[in-house]
Amino acid sequence: MLSGLPYIPIDEELDLNTAMLAMLLLKLAKNKKGSLTLDLEKIQVFLYLIKNPSRISKILRLADKPGTPLDKTLTYTIESMSSNVDILFNRQKVKILIRRLAALGFLVCEGGANGSNIKYALSDCGYDFASSLASESADDKYFSSIIEIISKLRPLQSQPATKLNAWLNTLFKGN
């Protein structure tokens, strides 16, 4: 939906969303053994949760995973309490972000053969880029909050996208 306002809503800003995806890949693309963990579906769920952090503790409870609460300034905002689920159902938005990272030379992927899911991670220069954002986060309240939110998602890293989506559906139904 287009508005007559002369600006792009922050949720739609390409550079910011690209940086957010880079930081997500920096923190969660690989498990402790070094295996890639993030496919397109999990990226969609995690981007939704980053943009709606008030849902993270509820998902962790449904998953029976430990977690410490986020700072109330991150969870009790109009944006985080909203029900904007566009990122969950618009694969094209996530694909654009992935293509952008790939075009910048920031992305590597594996899989895809024999019907397996493609998993994504940062290339060396993508790692350097995302690390610079993470290190600057001490001075930048917005990026530091993204890093904090992503860190809360770590217990969900090993969960399949089907379970993540099932838990989100339970939340949406109000159960």
Side-chain angles (χ1 to χ4, degrees):
M1 180 169 112
L2 294 175
S3 70
L5 300 174
Y7 62 89
I8 298 172
I10 193 76
D11 199 41
E12 302 298 324
E13 208 285 316
L14 183 61
D15 291 330
L16 182 61
N17 282 284
T18 302
M20 195 179 302
L21 177 56
M23 288 187 288
L24 174 63
L25 292 171
L26 174 72
K27 297 295 184 181
L28 297 181
K30 294 182 181 180
N31 62 18
K32 291 178 183 176
K33 295 179 182 178
S35 300
L36 299 186
T37 60
L38 296 181
D39 60 13
L40 182 71
E41 289 79 19
K42 284 175 79 169
I43 289 171
Q44 280 183 280
V45 170
F46 286 157
L47 286 175
Y48 170 78
L49 290 170
I50 291 167
K51 292 179 180 202
N52 298 275
S54 63
R55 310 259 196 268
I56 293 173
S57 62
K58 295 172 186 172
I59 291 287
L60 288 171
R61 274 195 303 275
L62 287 171
D64 199 28
K65 298 289 183 182
T68 56
L70 281 164
D71 184 327
K72 290 186 187 312
T73 61
L74 297 176
T75 56
Y76 291 105
T77 64
I78 292 172
E79 182 182 67
S80 74
M81 301 298 282
S82 73
S83 296
N84 186 353
V85 294
D86 287 351
I87 197 77
L88 285 174
F89 300 105
N90 190 342
R91 293 174 69 97
Q92 194 60 29
K93 284 184 178 183
V94 177
K95 286 181 179 181
I96 288 169
L97 296 175
I98 289 171
R99 284 187 197 122
R100 179 101 190 275
L101 285 178
L104 292 168
F106 292 173
L107 194 66
V108 294
C109 51
E110 69 179 37
N114 300 326
S116 65
N117 282 343
I118 297 172
K119 308 271 179 149
Y120 300 95
L122 294 172
S123 66
D124 290 340
C125 63
Y127 182 86
D128 292 343
F129 168 73
S131 293
S132 72
L133 293 175
S135 66
E136 290 175 15
S137 70
D139 300 327
D140 185 319
K141 187 169 172 59
Y142 189 78
F143 283 152
S144 66
S145 65
I146 291 173
I147 294 294
E148 182 182 349
I149 292 166
I150 291 170
S151 72
K152 301 299 181 189
L153 296 173
R154 183 159 297 283
L156 300 172
Q157 181 184 27
S158 64
Q159 299 300 312
T162 53
K163 279 190 177 181
L164 295 171
N165 282 315
W167 292 323
L168 280 175
N169 284 333
T170 300
L171 284 182
F172 296 146
K173 290 177 185 174
N175 296 335

